[in-house]
Each structure stands twice: as structure tokens, then as C-alpha cells.
């Protein structure tokens, strides 16, 4: 079998999104999925599409986040037609609750800048909030309503992207954990697992928080796991679907359940649920929705989000290693970015070009920062032949 044009490392949502985008363009594509990692973010996610709730006025990724959200309106019907899978796209808005005067003032300020930027955003009074979402706490002083934000079913999206990629000719190889990249004379030539070597024209690294643990990287990759613990309750009887935030915690309807989350913990690769973390999640969920006060979680779990030092994804080509690409580090927004990231990587690699400024997510930004602050070399020391360290 001939080596693929593109080999993608990682079978989560980002890898699946990339595989589909390449396969739809007729690019020979292989996806390697380890299938063994506990805490994979794609299978643990609540599925929210919340660029406004997760962004501030100075966030350089806000425009891309909104584009990523809106892309699902194009993608959802296509995926259902190709695969028969409904990804559960829901676009009736997200609430951000205020429980103090300070929070209400901040949310009103957020509405002002969001409207100035052309985004839809409204303030709901306590009465309006009760009419919109009766299951939300009557103690809330009001809420910011982002009517175009929403959610989808993460597990269904993953299944649909993989099925579509395969339908378009991508080869999916399961239970193969990549241990190292093969880089020869500055060019990536493939990857190695414990049992096999796979050659490829280009490699896309989309292994979530495990991306930086793969051997042979041209330099350390700044992606670390941040644990998010979650709980699921029965959705309140006769309550209409909705999504409500209070700070960084939230409650939303997923199927017949109320998903509640989430912690943000630096706990290494430990994807276990803890008593302290669960207490925080459950307590905040009951604050958001008192209808859950007497409910016991039906199940609990945790996921490991891939987070970078500046909180932004790493998307694009390695600055030195030819044909090595990154699609990782999306943190809390992996679901939001899955479809768009695949399109960006495919467009860049095939030379189609993109209409967005990708500087904020350029993989070279960390290396360039290091170079800018590195002390000048003493010309009397080191290699007189002019070879420079690779950072």
C-alpha cells in the first residue's frame, strides 16, 4: 500500500475534523487512533458552542470562534446526508447568569462591547429570565443572553466526522499509539508505533494533551492536560432545553440529562473524579438550577483538556520541520473548533489559503518569543560555522 499524502495522529474530534477535510478534497489520508487513552477530551465534552461566553473584548480568537460556531450550520446537514448521523445541533442561545450586582454590571458591559462588534447579545431581567428558562434560579439578578450560541452532541459529531472521512476515502487505523515522529534532514517522513512504522508525505499532530509526549518532536510542545470533572443528572421534568453559565460552571440539556461542569485542575494525566471536584460541580449546578437540589448525579466523569500557556490553540505548520503540522491545544473549545480547524489545516497544506489572520494560533509564536528574549551569543564561543540552536 502506498504511503498516504497526509497521516493524522489522534482520533479525537480535531483529528477526525482534519481527516474529513483532507478526504473531501481527494487527498490520500490515514488517521491513527490509539483508542486507549483515558480522559480523552472529545468523549468527555459537554458539546457547547459558546464563543461569546468564553471570550472577552480583546480576545484575538473571537472572530474565528464565531466562524467556527456558524460553520456547523453548514456542516450538520451535510454530515447527516452523508452518514445518517444527527449531530444534535441546537442554536437557541446561552445564558450567563448574574448573582451579584458586580456580576450584573460586568455582563451589561459585555453586552455593550458585543453589540459594538456586531454580535447579537441581550440583557434579560429576572422576569424575562424566568420566562425564558423557568428552571434557572430565581436568585439570579438577570442574565446575558447570546441567542446565536448553542451546543451539539460531541459523541455524535465524532462518529459523523469519522464516518464521513471514511466515506470519502480516508483510512482509519485503530489501536495504534504513535510513539515517535520520523524526521530526516529536517523533513517529517512518517511516524513509529510500538509495532510498525508508517510513512507519509505529511503528518498532522492532533493528539490532544498527549501531543507533547510524542518522541522526535523538533522542540518541546507546550500542551498540558487540565482536568475537567463533570456530572449528569436527570433533566428536570417538563423543562425546556437550555444552557446556563454561572462564572465558569454551567448546566445544559444533553439528551435526557442535565450535564453539569466543570472544574479546571492541573492534575497531570489523572482523569479520575475526586470528592472535592465533584462537590464543586454539584454545588454550582444546584446554584444555577435549584431543581437539581435533591437530585443525585446519575454518573460522573472527567476529561483532560489540552491547554497551552497562552490559552490559544496551536494550529499550522512547524516553523522548521517540513511537512509537520499541528492541530492541538484547543482547551475548553475543542468541540467549537473541530470543524474549522480541519478546514484551516487542509486549506493551508493544500495551498488554498485562508481568509483569517492565523497569527494568534501560529505554532511558531512560542519559539519566536524564545528567540526574541534569548541573550545574544558570544561570537568567541560556540560553533563558528554559524549553526543556530533550534529553540
Amino acid at each position: 500500500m502506498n504511503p498516504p499524502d497526509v497521516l493524522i495522529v489522534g482520533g479525537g474530534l480535531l483529528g477526525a475534523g482534519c481527516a474529513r477535510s483532507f478526504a473531501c478534497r481527494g487527498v490520500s489520508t490515514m488517521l491513527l487512533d490509539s483508542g486507549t487513552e483515558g480522559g480523552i477530551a472529545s468523549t468527555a465534552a459537554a458539546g457547547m458552542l459558546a464563543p461569546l461566553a468564553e471570550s472577552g473584548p480583546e480576545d484575538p480568537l473571537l472572530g474565528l470562534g464565531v466562524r467556527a460556531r456558524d460553520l456547523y450550520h453548514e456542516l450538520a446537514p451535510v454530515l447527516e446526508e452523508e452518514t445518517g448521523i444527527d449531530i444534535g445541533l441546537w442554536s437557541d442561545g446561552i445564558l450567563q447568569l448574574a448573582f451579584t450586582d458586580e456580576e450584573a454590571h460586568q455582563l451589561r458591559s459585555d453586552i455593550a462591547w458585543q453589540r459594538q462588534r456586531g454580535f447579537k447579545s441581550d440583557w434579560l431581567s429576572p422576569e424575562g429570565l424566568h420566562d425564558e428558562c423557568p428552571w434557572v434560579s430565581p436568585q439570579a439578578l438577570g442574565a446575558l443572553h447570546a441567542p446565536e450560541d448553542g451546543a451539539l452532541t460531541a459523541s455524535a459529531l465524532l462518529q459523523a466526522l469519522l464516518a464521513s472521512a471514511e466515506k470519502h476515502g480516508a483510512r482509519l487505523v485503530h489501536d495504534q499509539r504513535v510513539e515517535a515522529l520520523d524526521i530526516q534532514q529536517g523533513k517529517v517522513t512518517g511516524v513509529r508505533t510500538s509495532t510498525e512504522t508508517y510513512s507519509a508525505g505529511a503528518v498532522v499532530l492532533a493528539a490532544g494533551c498527549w501531543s507533547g509526549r510524542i518522541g522526535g518532536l523538533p522542540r518541546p510542545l507546550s500542551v498540558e492536560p487540565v482536568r475537567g470533572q463533570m456530572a449528569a443528572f436527570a433533566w428536570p421534568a417538563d423543562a425546556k432545553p437550555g444552557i446556563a453559565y454561572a462564572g465558569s460552571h454551567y448546566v445544559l440539556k444533553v439528551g435526557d440529562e442535565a450535564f453539569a461542569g466543570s472544574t479546571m485542575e492541573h492534575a497531570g494525566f489523572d482523569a479520575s473524579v475526586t470528592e472535592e471536584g465533584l462537590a464543586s460541580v454539584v454545588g454550582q449546578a444546584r446554584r444555577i438550577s435549584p431543581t437539581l437540589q435533591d437530585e443525585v448525579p446519575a454518573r460522573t466523569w472527567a476529561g483532560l483538556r489540552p491547554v497551552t500557556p497562552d490559552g490559544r490553540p496551536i494550529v499550522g505548520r512547524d516553523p522548521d520541520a517540513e511537512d509537520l503540522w499541528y492541530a492541538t491545544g484547543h482547551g475548553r473549545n475543542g468541540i467549537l473548533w473541530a470543524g474549522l480547524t480541519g478546514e484551516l489545516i487542509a486549506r493551508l497544506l493544500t495551498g488554498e489559503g485562508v481568509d483569517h489572520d492565523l497569527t494568534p494560533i501560529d505554532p511558531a509564536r512560542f519559539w519566536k518569543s524564545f528567540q526574541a528574549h534569548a541573550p545574544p551569543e558570544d561570537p568567541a564561543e560556540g560553533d563558528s560555522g554559524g549553526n543556530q540552536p533550534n529553540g
Side-chain angles (χ1 to χ4, degrees):
M1 182 176 294
N2 293 329
D5 295 328
V6 176
L7 186 151
I8 298 163
V9 179
L13 276 164
L14 275 304
C18 290
R20 180 186 183 275
S21 292
F22 282 116
C24 285
R25 288 166 167 80
V27 177
S28 171
T29 305
M30 177 186 290
L31 183 146
L32 296 183
D33 173 24
S34 68
T36 59
E37 314 290 7
I40 293 175
S42 296
T43 58
M48 284 179 295
L49 307 175
L52 294 182
E54 296 281 356
S55 302
E58 306 303 322
D59 189 339
L61 302 186
L62 178 58
L64 281 167
V66 170
R67 174 58 186 142
R69 177 198 69 193
D70 294 346
L71 181 62
Y72 284 112
H73 292 281
E74 305 168 27
L75 189 58
V78 173
L79 287 174
E80 186 165 11
E81 181 179 354
E82 290 180 348
T83 69
I85 299 172
D86 178 2
I87 66 171
L89 182 62
W90 183 86
S91 303
D92 286 355
I94 291 180
L95 299 168
Q96 291 177 262
L97 307 180
F99 284 96
T100 67
D101 290 336
E102 182 180 0
E103 290 173 349
H105 176 76
Q106 181 60 58
L107 290 176
R108 287 181 181 273
S109 297
D110 290 342
I111 290 172
W113 71 256
Q114 289 172 11
R115 286 178 172 176
Q116 288 170 353
R117 297 279 293 274
F119 303 118
K120 293 183 180 180
S121 185
D122 301 297
W123 176 257
L124 295 182
S125 66
E127 295 77 21
L129 178 58
H130 183 267
D131 291 341
E132 179 71 23
C133 251
W135 53 269
V136 166
S137 172
Q139 302 300 315
L141 304 180
L144 182 158
H145 181 223
E148 295 181 326
D149 283 359
L152 51 75
T153 305
S155 58
L157 176 63
L158 179 59
Q159 293 172 16
L161 289 173
L162 291 173
S164 175
E166 202 162 23
K167 180 181 179 70
H168 285 283
R171 181 186 173 200
L172 310 183
V173 181
H174 300 286
D175 299 322
Q176 285 283 16
R177 180 176 180 177
V178 171
E179 296 186 344
L181 303 175
D182 275 336
I183 297 180
Q184 305 292 332
Q185 297 180 334
K187 182 188 184 313
V188 68
T189 59
V191 302
R192 286 180 279 117
T193 71
S194 60
T195 60
E196 196 165 348
T197 296
Y198 294 89
S199 298
V203 171
V204 178
L205 196 54
C209 59
W210 290 271
S211 297
R213 270 55 184 179
I214 292 174
L217 290 167
R219 67 183 55 79
L221 186 62
S222 301
V223 182
E224 297 297 334
V226 173
R227 182 171 64 192
Q229 299 187 48
M230 298 185 64
F233 302 82
W235 184 255
D238 301 322
K240 61 184 290 189
I243 304 172
Y245 270 78
S248 61
H249 287 79
Y250 51 81
V251 172
L252 75 156
K253 186 177 188 296
V254 179
D256 295 326
E257 295 182 308
F259 276 20
S262 170
T263 60
M264 290 284 288
E265 305 168 86
H266 293 275
F269 288 89
D270 180 1
S272 60
V273 174
T274 67
E275 184 176 343
E276 181 180 5
L278 184 59
S280 171
V281 168
V282 171
Q284 290 296 324
R286 289 170 175 165
R287 183 183 185 221
I288 292 170
S289 179
T291 60
L292 302 176
Q293 189 62 45
D294 298 323
E295 297 291 329
V296 176
R299 56 196 182 93
T300 60
W301 67 97
L304 301 177
R305 306 182 186 96
V307 177
T308 65
D310 61 7
R312 304 199 301 261
I314 299 174
V315 178
R317 188 181 68 84
D318 186 274
D320 290 329
E322 185 180 353
D323 292 323
L324 175 60
W325 297 76
Y326 300 102
T328 188
H330 291 75
R332 288 169 65 106
N333 291 306
I335 304 298
L336 175 66
W337 279 72
L340 180 62
T341 296
E343 281 297 297
L344 293 176
I345 290 288
R347 284 179 169 273
L348 290 169
L349 197 150
T350 59
E352 294 177 43
V354 298
D355 297 328
H356 308 282
D357 177 15
L358 303 185
T359 304
I361 58 177
D362 185 352
R365 68 188 186 272
F366 299 116
W367 180 72
K368 288 177 180 176
S369 176
F370 172 83
Q371 290 287 72
H373 294 88
E377 285 194 19
D378 185 340
E381 297 181 1
D383 180 6
S384 60
N387 292 330
Q388 297 296 316
N390 65 9

Short mmCIF file of all heavy atoms in Angstrom, two decimals, residues 108-156:
data_model
loop_
_atom_site.label_atom_id
_atom_site.label_comp_id
_atom_site.label_asym_id
_atom_site.label_seq_id
_atom_site.Cartn_x
_atom_site.Cartn_y
_atom_site.Cartn_z
N ARG A 108 -23.51 43.44 31.71
CA ARG A 108 -24.05 44.55 30.92
C ARG A 108 -22.94 45.20 30.09
O ARG A 108 -23.16 45.62 28.94
CB ARG A 108 -24.73 45.57 31.83
CG ARG A 108 -26.07 45.10 32.40
CD ARG A 108 -26.68 46.17 33.28
NE ARG A 108 -27.94 45.76 33.85
CZ ARG A 108 -29.13 45.88 33.27
NH1 ARG A 108 -29.22 46.39 32.04
NH2 ARG A 108 -30.24 45.50 33.88
N SER A 109 -21.74 45.30 30.67
CA SER A 109 -20.61 45.82 29.92
C SER A 109 -20.25 44.90 28.76
O SER A 109 -19.90 45.36 27.67
CB SER A 109 -19.39 45.98 30.85
OG SER A 109 -19.65 46.93 31.86
N ASP A 110 -20.36 43.58 29.00
CA ASP A 110 -20.09 42.62 27.94
C ASP A 110 -21.09 42.78 26.80
O ASP A 110 -20.73 42.69 25.61
CB ASP A 110 -20.14 41.19 28.48
CG ASP A 110 -18.97 40.87 29.40
OD1 ASP A 110 -17.96 41.59 29.35
OD2 ASP A 110 -19.08 39.90 30.17
N ILE A 111 -22.34 43.01 27.13
CA ILE A 111 -23.35 43.22 26.09
C ILE A 111 -22.99 44.42 25.24
O ILE A 111 -23.11 44.40 24.00
CB ILE A 111 -24.74 43.41 26.74
CG1 ILE A 111 -25.22 42.08 27.35
CG2 ILE A 111 -25.75 43.91 25.70
CD1 ILE A 111 -26.48 42.22 28.18
N ALA A 112 -22.49 45.48 25.89
CA ALA A 112 -22.15 46.70 25.15
C ALA A 112 -21.07 46.44 24.11
O ALA A 112 -21.21 46.81 22.93
CB ALA A 112 -21.72 47.78 26.13
N TRP A 113 -19.96 45.78 24.51
CA TRP A 113 -18.90 45.58 23.53
C TRP A 113 -19.29 44.54 22.48
O TRP A 113 -18.87 44.64 21.32
CB TRP A 113 -17.56 45.24 24.19
CG TRP A 113 -17.40 43.90 24.84
CD1 TRP A 113 -17.41 43.63 26.17
CD2 TRP A 113 -17.16 42.64 24.19
NE1 TRP A 113 -17.21 42.29 26.40
CE2 TRP A 113 -17.05 41.67 25.19
CE3 TRP A 113 -17.03 42.26 22.85
CZ2 TRP A 113 -16.81 40.32 24.92
CZ3 TRP A 113 -16.80 40.92 22.57
CH2 TRP A 113 -16.70 39.97 23.59
N GLN A 114 -20.09 43.55 22.88
CA GLN A 114 -20.51 42.56 21.91
C GLN A 114 -21.40 43.19 20.84
O GLN A 114 -21.26 42.90 19.64
CB GLN A 114 -21.23 41.41 22.62
CG GLN A 114 -20.28 40.53 23.42
CD GLN A 114 -20.99 39.51 24.29
OE1 GLN A 114 -22.19 39.30 24.16
NE2 GLN A 114 -20.25 38.87 25.19
N ARG A 115 -22.30 44.08 21.24
CA ARG A 115 -23.15 44.76 20.26
C ARG A 115 -22.32 45.68 19.37
O ARG A 115 -22.55 45.76 18.15
CB ARG A 115 -24.23 45.55 20.98
CG ARG A 115 -25.34 44.69 21.57
CD ARG A 115 -26.34 45.55 22.30
NE ARG A 115 -27.51 44.78 22.73
CZ ARG A 115 -28.50 45.29 23.46
NH1 ARG A 115 -28.46 46.56 23.84
NH2 ARG A 115 -29.54 44.54 23.81
N GLN A 116 -21.34 46.35 19.95
CA GLN A 116 -20.48 47.24 19.18
C GLN A 116 -19.69 46.47 18.13
O GLN A 116 -19.36 47.01 17.06
CB GLN A 116 -19.53 48.00 20.10
CG GLN A 116 -20.22 49.07 20.93
CD GLN A 116 -19.32 49.65 22.01
OE1 GLN A 116 -18.20 49.17 22.22
NE2 GLN A 116 -19.80 50.67 22.69
N ARG A 117 -19.40 45.20 18.42
CA ARG A 117 -18.67 44.36 17.47
C ARG A 117 -19.60 43.67 16.47
O ARG A 117 -19.15 42.91 15.61
CB ARG A 117 -17.86 43.29 18.23
CG ARG A 117 -16.79 43.85 19.15
CD ARG A 117 -15.54 44.20 18.39
NE ARG A 117 -14.91 43.01 17.85
CZ ARG A 117 -14.04 42.24 18.54
NH1 ARG A 117 -13.71 42.55 19.78
NH2 ARG A 117 -13.49 41.19 17.98
N GLY A 118 -20.90 43.93 16.59
CA GLY A 118 -21.85 43.38 15.64
C GLY A 118 -22.46 42.04 16.03
O GLY A 118 -23.14 41.40 15.22
N PHE A 119 -22.25 41.60 17.28
CA PHE A 119 -22.80 40.33 17.73
C PHE A 119 -24.14 40.55 18.42
O PHE A 119 -24.36 41.58 19.07
CB PHE A 119 -21.84 39.63 18.69
CG PHE A 119 -20.48 39.39 18.11
CD1 PHE A 119 -19.35 39.98 18.67
CD2 PHE A 119 -20.32 38.59 16.99
CE1 PHE A 119 -18.09 39.77 18.14
CE2 PHE A 119 -19.06 38.38 16.44
CZ PHE A 119 -17.95 38.97 17.03
N LYS A 120 -25.02 39.57 18.32
CA LYS A 120 -26.31 39.65 19.00
C LYS A 120 -26.14 39.29 20.47
O LYS A 120 -25.58 38.24 20.80
CB LYS A 120 -27.32 38.71 18.34
CG LYS A 120 -27.70 39.13 16.93
CD LYS A 120 -28.75 38.19 16.36
CE LYS A 120 -29.14 38.62 14.94
NZ LYS A 120 -30.16 37.70 14.36
N SER A 121 -26.65 40.15 21.33
CA SER A 121 -26.50 39.95 22.76
C SER A 121 -27.54 40.81 23.47
O SER A 121 -27.73 41.98 23.12
CB SER A 121 -25.08 40.35 23.21
OG SER A 121 -24.87 40.05 24.56
N ASP A 122 -28.23 40.24 24.45
CA ASP A 122 -29.31 40.96 25.14
C ASP A 122 -29.24 40.74 26.64
O ASP A 122 -28.66 39.75 27.12
CB ASP A 122 -30.67 40.46 24.63
CG ASP A 122 -30.84 40.66 23.14
OD1 ASP A 122 -30.83 41.82 22.70
OD2 ASP A 122 -30.96 39.64 22.42
N TRP A 123 -29.85 41.66 27.37
CA TRP A 123 -29.97 41.52 28.82
C TRP A 123 -31.38 41.04 29.15
O TRP A 123 -32.38 41.60 28.65
CB TRP A 123 -29.71 42.84 29.54
CG TRP A 123 -29.93 42.77 31.02
CD1 TRP A 123 -31.00 43.24 31.72
CD2 TRP A 123 -29.07 42.15 31.98
NE1 TRP A 123 -30.86 42.97 33.06
CE2 TRP A 123 -29.69 42.30 33.25
CE3 TRP A 123 -27.84 41.51 31.89
CZ2 TRP A 123 -29.11 41.82 34.42
CZ3 TRP A 123 -27.27 41.02 33.06
CH2 TRP A 123 -27.89 41.17 34.29
N LEU A 124 -31.49 40.00 29.95
CA LEU A 124 -32.77 39.51 30.42
C LEU A 124 -32.94 39.90 31.89
O LEU A 124 -32.07 39.62 32.72
CB LEU A 124 -32.86 37.99 30.29
CG LEU A 124 -32.84 37.40 28.87
CD1 LEU A 124 -32.99 35.89 28.94
CD2 LEU A 124 -33.94 38.00 28.01
N SER A 125 -34.05 40.54 32.18
CA SER A 125 -34.39 40.85 33.57
C SER A 125 -34.74 39.56 34.30
O SER A 125 -34.94 38.51 33.66
CB SER A 125 -35.58 41.80 33.61
OG SER A 125 -36.74 41.13 33.11
N PRO A 126 -34.85 39.59 35.64
CA PRO A 126 -35.26 38.37 36.35
C PRO A 126 -36.58 37.81 35.83
O PRO A 126 -36.74 36.59 35.71
CB PRO A 126 -35.40 38.85 37.80
CG PRO A 126 -34.41 39.97 37.92
CD PRO A 126 -34.47 40.66 36.59
N GLU A 127 -37.52 38.71 35.46
CA GLU A 127 -38.80 38.24 34.93
C GLU A 127 -38.62 37.61 33.56
O GLU A 127 -39.17 36.53 33.27
CB GLU A 127 -39.79 39.41 34.84
CG GLU A 127 -40.18 40.03 36.18
CD GLU A 127 -39.08 40.93 36.74
OE1 GLU A 127 -38.21 41.39 35.96
OE2 GLU A 127 -39.08 41.13 37.98
N GLY A 128 -37.83 38.27 32.71
CA GLY A 128 -37.57 37.71 31.39
C GLY A 128 -36.80 36.41 31.46
O GLY A 128 -37.03 35.49 30.66
N LEU A 129 -35.89 36.33 32.41
CA LEU A 129 -35.11 35.11 32.59
C LEU A 129 -36.01 33.96 33.01
O LEU A 129 -35.87 32.83 32.51
CB LEU A 129 -34.02 35.35 33.64
CG LEU A 129 -33.12 34.18 34.01
CD1 LEU A 129 -32.41 33.63 32.80
CD2 LEU A 129 -32.10 34.61 35.08
N HIS A 130 -36.94 34.23 33.90
CA HIS A 130 -37.85 33.18 34.34
C HIS A 130 -38.73 32.71 33.19
O HIS A 130 -39.02 31.51 33.06
CB HIS A 130 -38.73 33.68 35.50
CG HIS A 130 -39.65 32.64 36.04
ND1 HIS A 130 -40.95 32.47 35.59
CD2 HIS A 130 -39.46 31.65 36.97
CE1 HIS A 130 -41.51 31.46 36.23
NE2 HIS A 130 -40.62 30.94 37.07
N ASP A 131 -39.15 33.64 32.33
CA ASP A 131 -39.96 33.25 31.19
C ASP A 131 -39.15 32.41 30.20
O ASP A 131 -39.67 31.46 29.60
CB ASP A 131 -40.50 34.49 30.47
CG ASP A 131 -41.55 35.23 31.30
OD1 ASP A 131 -42.12 34.61 32.22
OD2 ASP A 131 -41.78 36.42 31.02
N GLU A 132 -37.87 32.79 30.01
CA GLU A 132 -37.01 32.08 29.06
C GLU A 132 -36.59 30.72 29.58
O GLU A 132 -36.57 29.74 28.82
CB GLU A 132 -35.76 32.93 28.78
CG GLU A 132 -34.77 32.33 27.81
CD GLU A 132 -35.28 32.30 26.39
OE1 GLU A 132 -36.17 33.10 26.06
OE2 GLU A 132 -34.79 31.46 25.61
N CYS A 133 -36.26 30.65 30.85
CA CYS A 133 -35.73 29.41 31.45
C CYS A 133 -36.25 29.26 32.88
O CYS A 133 -35.56 29.62 33.84
CB CYS A 133 -34.20 29.45 31.44
SG CYS A 133 -33.43 28.34 30.29
N PRO A 134 -37.43 28.72 33.06
CA PRO A 134 -38.00 28.61 34.41
C PRO A 134 -37.17 27.77 35.37
O PRO A 134 -37.32 27.92 36.59
CB PRO A 134 -39.38 27.97 34.16
CG PRO A 134 -39.67 28.23 32.73
CD PRO A 134 -38.36 28.26 32.03
N TRP A 135 -36.32 26.90 34.85
CA TRP A 135 -35.53 26.03 35.72
C TRP A 135 -34.31 26.73 36.31
O TRP A 135 -33.63 26.18 37.18
CB TRP A 135 -35.09 24.77 34.98
CG TRP A 135 -34.39 24.97 33.67
CD1 TRP A 135 -34.97 25.04 32.44
CD2 TRP A 135 -32.99 25.13 33.45
NE1 TRP A 135 -34.02 25.24 31.46
CE2 TRP A 135 -32.80 25.29 32.06
CE3 TRP A 135 -31.87 25.15 34.28
CZ2 TRP A 135 -31.55 25.47 31.49
CZ3 TRP A 135 -30.62 25.33 33.72
CH2 TRP A 135 -30.46 25.49 32.34
N VAL A 136 -34.02 27.95 35.86
CA VAL A 136 -32.88 28.71 36.39
C VAL A 136 -33.26 29.33 37.72
O VAL A 136 -34.40 29.71 37.96
CB VAL A 136 -32.45 29.77 35.37
CG1 VAL A 136 -31.51 30.79 36.00
CG2 VAL A 136 -31.77 29.11 34.18
N SER A 137 -32.28 29.51 38.58
CA SER A 137 -32.50 30.01 39.94
C SER A 137 -33.22 31.36 39.96
O SER A 137 -32.83 32.29 39.26
CB SER A 137 -31.16 30.16 40.66
OG SER A 137 -31.34 30.81 41.91
N PRO A 138 -34.24 31.51 40.81
CA PRO A 138 -34.90 32.80 40.97
C PRO A 138 -34.02 33.82 41.69
O PRO A 138 -34.36 35.01 41.75
CB PRO A 138 -36.15 32.46 41.79
CG PRO A 138 -35.80 31.20 42.52
CD PRO A 138 -34.90 30.45 41.60
N GLN A 139 -32.90 33.39 42.24
CA GLN A 139 -31.97 34.29 42.89
C GLN A 139 -31.12 35.08 41.89
O GLN A 139 -30.47 36.05 42.27
CB GLN A 139 -31.04 33.51 43.83
CG GLN A 139 -31.77 32.72 44.91
CD GLN A 139 -32.61 33.63 45.81
OE1 GLN A 139 -32.15 34.68 46.23
NE2 GLN A 139 -33.84 33.20 46.07
N ALA A 140 -31.13 34.69 40.64
CA ALA A 140 -30.35 35.40 39.63
C ALA A 140 -30.94 36.79 39.41
O ALA A 140 -32.15 36.98 39.35
CB ALA A 140 -30.34 34.61 38.33
N LEU A 141 -30.05 37.78 39.27
CA LEU A 141 -30.47 39.16 39.08
C LEU A 141 -30.72 39.49 37.62
O LEU A 141 -31.10 40.62 37.30
CB LEU A 141 -29.39 40.10 39.64
CG LEU A 141 -29.00 39.90 41.10
CD1 LEU A 141 -27.94 40.91 41.51
CD2 LEU A 141 -30.23 40.01 41.99
N GLY A 142 -30.50 38.55 36.77
CA GLY A 142 -30.64 38.74 35.33
C GLY A 142 -29.61 37.91 34.61
O GLY A 142 -28.86 37.14 35.23
N ALA A 143 -29.55 38.07 33.30
CA ALA A 143 -28.61 37.26 32.52
C ALA A 143 -28.30 37.91 31.19
O ALA A 143 -29.14 38.60 30.59
CB ALA A 143 -29.18 35.86 32.28
N LEU A 144 -27.08 37.70 30.72
CA LEU A 144 -26.72 37.98 29.34
C LEU A 144 -27.21 36.81 28.50
O LEU A 144 -26.95 35.66 28.81
CB LEU A 144 -25.20 38.13 29.21
CG LEU A 144 -24.62 38.49 27.84
CD1 LEU A 144 -23.23 39.11 28.02
CD2 LEU A 144 -24.50 37.29 26.90
N HIS A 145 -27.92 37.12 27.42
CA HIS A 145 -28.41 36.08 26.53
C HIS A 145 -27.73 36.24 25.18
O HIS A 145 -27.86 37.27 24.51
CB HIS A 145 -29.93 36.21 26.36
CG HIS A 145 -30.53 35.16 25.48
ND1 HIS A 145 -31.49 35.42 24.53
CD2 HIS A 145 -30.29 33.82 25.40
CE1 HIS A 145 -31.83 34.30 23.91
NE2 HIS A 145 -31.12 33.32 24.43
N ALA A 146 -26.94 35.24 24.80
CA ALA A 146 -26.29 35.19 23.48
C ALA A 146 -27.13 34.27 22.61
O ALA A 146 -26.95 33.04 22.65
CB ALA A 146 -24.86 34.69 23.60
N PRO A 147 -28.06 34.81 21.83
CA PRO A 147 -29.08 33.97 21.17
C PRO A 147 -28.56 33.08 20.06
O PRO A 147 -29.28 32.16 19.63
CB PRO A 147 -30.08 34.99 20.63
CG PRO A 147 -29.29 36.24 20.44
CD PRO A 147 -28.27 36.24 21.54
N GLU A 148 -27.34 33.31 19.57
CA GLU A 148 -26.83 32.51 18.46
C GLU A 148 -25.84 31.44 18.91
O GLU A 148 -25.42 30.62 18.09
CB GLU A 148 -26.19 33.42 17.41
CG GLU A 148 -27.19 34.35 16.76
CD GLU A 148 -26.57 35.24 15.69
OE1 GLU A 148 -25.40 35.65 15.85
OE2 GLU A 148 -27.26 35.52 14.70
N ASP A 149 -25.45 31.45 20.18
CA ASP A 149 -24.62 30.37 20.70
C ASP A 149 -25.48 29.13 20.93
O ASP A 149 -26.71 29.20 20.91
CB ASP A 149 -23.93 30.79 22.00
CG ASP A 149 -22.74 31.71 21.76
OD1 ASP A 149 -22.43 31.99 20.59
OD2 ASP A 149 -22.12 32.14 22.76
N GLY A 150 -24.85 27.99 21.18
CA GLY A 150 -25.63 26.78 21.35
C GLY A 150 -24.79 25.58 21.74
O GLY A 150 -23.83 25.70 22.50
N ALA A 151 -25.12 24.44 21.17
CA ALA A 151 -24.43 23.20 21.55
C ALA A 151 -24.70 22.14 20.49
O ALA A 151 -25.54 22.30 19.59
CB ALA A 151 -24.91 22.70 22.91
N LEU A 152 -23.96 21.05 20.60
CA LEU A 152 -24.21 19.86 19.79
C LEU A 152 -23.82 18.64 20.62
O LEU A 152 -23.27 18.78 21.72
CB LEU A 152 -23.45 19.91 18.46
CG LEU A 152 -21.95 20.21 18.47
CD1 LEU A 152 -21.12 19.02 18.94
CD2 LEU A 152 -21.48 20.62 17.08
N THR A 153 -24.08 17.47 20.10
CA THR A 153 -23.75 16.24 20.81
C THR A 153 -22.36 15.79 20.37
O THR A 153 -22.15 15.37 19.22
CB THR A 153 -24.77 15.14 20.51
OG1 THR A 153 -26.08 15.62 20.82
CG2 THR A 153 -24.48 13.89 21.35
N ALA A 154 -21.39 15.91 21.29
CA ALA A 154 -19.99 15.67 20.94
C ALA A 154 -19.75 14.27 20.41
O ALA A 154 -19.03 14.08 19.42
CB ALA A 154 -19.11 15.93 22.17
N SER A 155 -20.34 13.27 21.05
CA SER A 155 -20.11 11.88 20.61
C SER A 155 -20.66 11.66 19.19
O SER A 155 -20.05 10.97 18.38
CB SER A 155 -20.75 10.90 21.58
OG SER A 155 -22.14 11.14 21.72
N ALA A 156 -21.81 12.28 18.90
CA ALA A 156 -22.39 12.13 17.56
C ALA A 156 -21.54 12.84 16.53
O ALA A 156 -21.37 12.34 15.40
CB ALA A 156 -23.82 12.69 17.55
#
